[in-house]
Amino acid sequence: MALLVSCPTRSLADDLRALSDEFDNASSLAAWSRIFEVEGWGADQMESLDINASRSGYLTMVPKTSSWYRDWRGILMFKRVTGDFVVTMEVEPRGRNLEGAPNSSYSLAGIMARAPRDTLTQPSEWTANGENYIFLSLGTANNPGHYQFEVKSTVNSSSHLEIDEGAPRAIIQVARLGEVFLVLRKLEGRDWEVHRRYRRSDMPDTLQVGITAYTDWSPIELMDPFEHNRSSIDGHNPDLNAAVDYFRFRRPRVPSALAEADFSDRFEVSDAQVLDLFGDRANRDPAAAAVVELEITGKAYAPGIGLEVEFESIPGVFYRVEKSEDLRSWTFVESAEAVAERSSFRVPDPQGKASLYLRIAED
């Protein structure tokens, strides 16, 4: 006999899930790589950095005077990701006095996806025109004291940036689908929106994906980029305290109807279709309680064959079925894309077990 439990839980099969950080454990800082260490610069541009210390449940970043622009290389804490991904973070940037927007130009924090410079292990190996990345950051840009977004795409150290109105706090998201990068944002009290789309055929399969923070552009633009990159700059007017609530990694799932679509083309894949796939759907709190909302429309058990479960589904959404004997430990059974408004899974006989618990989850 089988007892059925249905709930839209987070997928257990997502191979990127383990990279996520809710910033509630100080020891998780060791799992992040720092660009100044990986490339052998030896100069930490961060004034202070901690998890769950300055603010409970947050990563807190207080950068020194530093920046990302053209050949100027700033702060990045990252994890290496191969293939498609979607990453989401919630960020609250403030001045160092924790009262409102930063008061120094280009003081922001956000998501960066950067091509590794694997041949760079010490300053003497650095060459110009080698920076390739995309980022979306929140803070203050060219209007100190006011919240702004900065989105930037840099190709061979040629940077193209755009600035628009920001907010004190936002959820931001970057998704990679092959050569296409989607940049999304959600301001407090507003809906998700697709902010920018980029086609970057130059990006390698493996990227450095993580969090950047930078501040105080005015003195930097007078510096030689190489000197900036190898320096930990004291003084001047750095003014950013960035608090990050979480940084979540997920492997995107694209329905078969859009498998060959060009996501850089708004006419081929609309903003509404992008938001159906990403936004909140790609940003689930792993600690949040599951909300039962799937309706089971039928089930039938055949001895020696197993249990077949039919449920209401959304075409194009991926679902999975998991089984348990004790409601504590769950094992993956099957995953599939729904192609109709009703779908079904067949679970083999529990091999002599008197009872078996099942749950169907959005994948």
Side-chain angles (χ1 to χ4, degrees):
M1 181 177 181
L3 177 63
L4 186 71
V5 176
S6 77
C7 52
T9 62
R10 188 185 181 99
S11 168
L12 298 179
D14 193 326
D15 64 316
L16 296 185
R17 176 187 179 188
L19 300 180
S20 300
D21 200 331
E22 297 298 311
F23 301 128
D24 52 9
N25 188 331
S27 65
S28 69
L29 187 60
W32 293 87
S33 298
R34 298 282 306 282
I35 200 68
F36 85 95
E37 295 174 331
V38 170
E39 295 182 355
W41 291 99
D44 191 353
Q45 296 167 321
M46 194 81 77
E47 182 77 28
S48 65
L49 174 70
D50 67 69
I51 290 174
N52 202 36
S54 296
R55 185 172 176 181
S56 179
Y58 282 77
L59 165 74
T60 301
M61 308 173 76
V62 181
K64 295 183 178 183
T65 296
S66 56
S67 195
W68 286 97
Y69 183 59
R70 295 180 178 171
D71 278 319
W72 286 277
R73 190 271 312 145
I75 290 168
L76 175 62
M77 53 183 288
F78 69 91
K79 298 182 180 182
R80 291 175 70 98
V81 178
T82 300
D84 293 347
F85 61 81
V86 53
V87 291
T88 311
M89 70 181 265
E90 187 164 0
V91 60
E92 183 181 326
R94 295 174 290 178
R96 286 193 175 192
N97 64 6
L98 306 182
E99 297 179 359
N103 281 297
S104 185
S105 63
Y106 290 93
S107 298
L108 307 98
I111 296 172
M112 172 177 276
R114 177 181 184 254
R117 302 186 70 171
D118 290 332
T119 60
L120 177 54
T121 60
Q122 57 186 353
S124 63
E125 296 170 342
W126 181 83
T127 56
N129 305 318
E131 288 297 336
N132 292 280
Y133 56 79
I134 285 172
F135 71 59
L136 173 63
S137 295
L138 176 64
T140 189
N142 60 0
N143 191 7
H146 296 81
Y147 282 105
Q148 297 172 293
F149 280 100
E150 180 187 10
V151 63
K152 182 180 293 178
S153 177
T154 295
V155 181
N156 296 330
S157 294
S158 177
S159 295
H160 174 72
L161 65 92
E162 297 174 87
I163 298 165
D164 63 355
E165 182 182 356
R169 188 181 179 104
I171 304 173
I172 57 178
Q173 190 173 85
V174 173
R176 179 186 192 173
L177 300 172
E179 297 182 353
V180 177
F181 290 80
L182 305 171
V183 180
L184 295 85
R185 65 183 186 182
K186 184 181 188 300
L187 281 66
E188 280 191 307
R190 301 187 192 178
D191 294 330
W192 279 98
E193 59 181 312
V194 182
H195 186 47
R196 294 290 186 275
R197 307 185 192 210
Y198 298 99
R199 177 171 292 281
R200 290 293 302 269
S201 59
D202 60 299
M203 288 293 213
D205 197 32
T206 299
L207 297 178
Q208 297 166 337
V209 181
I211 307 168
T212 183
Y214 49 99
T215 182
D216 197 22
W217 167 249
S218 294
I220 297 168
E221 63 179 328
L222 303 176
M223 295 183 66
D224 175 76
F226 180 72
E227 289 302 316
H228 164 272
N229 297 350
R230 67 175 185 175
S231 301
S232 180
I233 303 170
D234 294 315
H236 299 290
N237 186 36
D239 191 35
L240 177 65
N241 180 301
V244 182
D245 194 1
Y246 54 80
F247 196 94
R248 296 171 183 158
F249 291 81
R250 181 166 179 165
R251 190 71 75 182
R253 301 289 297 269
V254 176
S256 55
L258 295 174
E260 303 300 323
D262 181 0
F263 275 79
S264 68
D265 187 341
R266 294 178 184 271
F267 295 100
E268 190 167 338
V269 182
S270 68
D271 283 357
Q273 288 174 299
V274 170
L275 295 174
D276 278 342
L277 294 176
F278 300 107
D280 284 336
R281 176 158 279 155
N283 183 36
R284 296 181 183 149
D285 182 351
V291 179
V292 176
E293 57 186 30
L294 295 179
E295 182 177 346
I296 304 302
T297 56
K299 54 181 182 280
Y301 175 71
I305 298 176
L307 177 70
E308 185 161 345
V309 183
E310 183 182 84
F311 61 96
E312 288 191 352
S313 58
I314 302 173
V317 173
F318 291 83
Y319 296 91
R320 60 190 283 111
V321 62
E322 300 163 0
K323 64 182 180 180
S324 175
E325 298 172 13
D326 55 12
L327 289 177
R328 293 189 299 272
S329 177
W330 293 90
T331 303
F332 169 79
V333 177
E334 185 183 359
S335 176
E337 177 189 351
V339 296
E341 294 182 353
R342 290 193 178 186
S343 301
S344 64
F345 283 114
R346 175 173 291 175
V347 183
D349 247 350
Q351 300 178 343
K353 298 293 181 182
S355 63
L356 178 70
Y357 298 92
L358 305 177
R359 67 182 181 186
I360 298 170
E362 187 177 314
D363 203 359

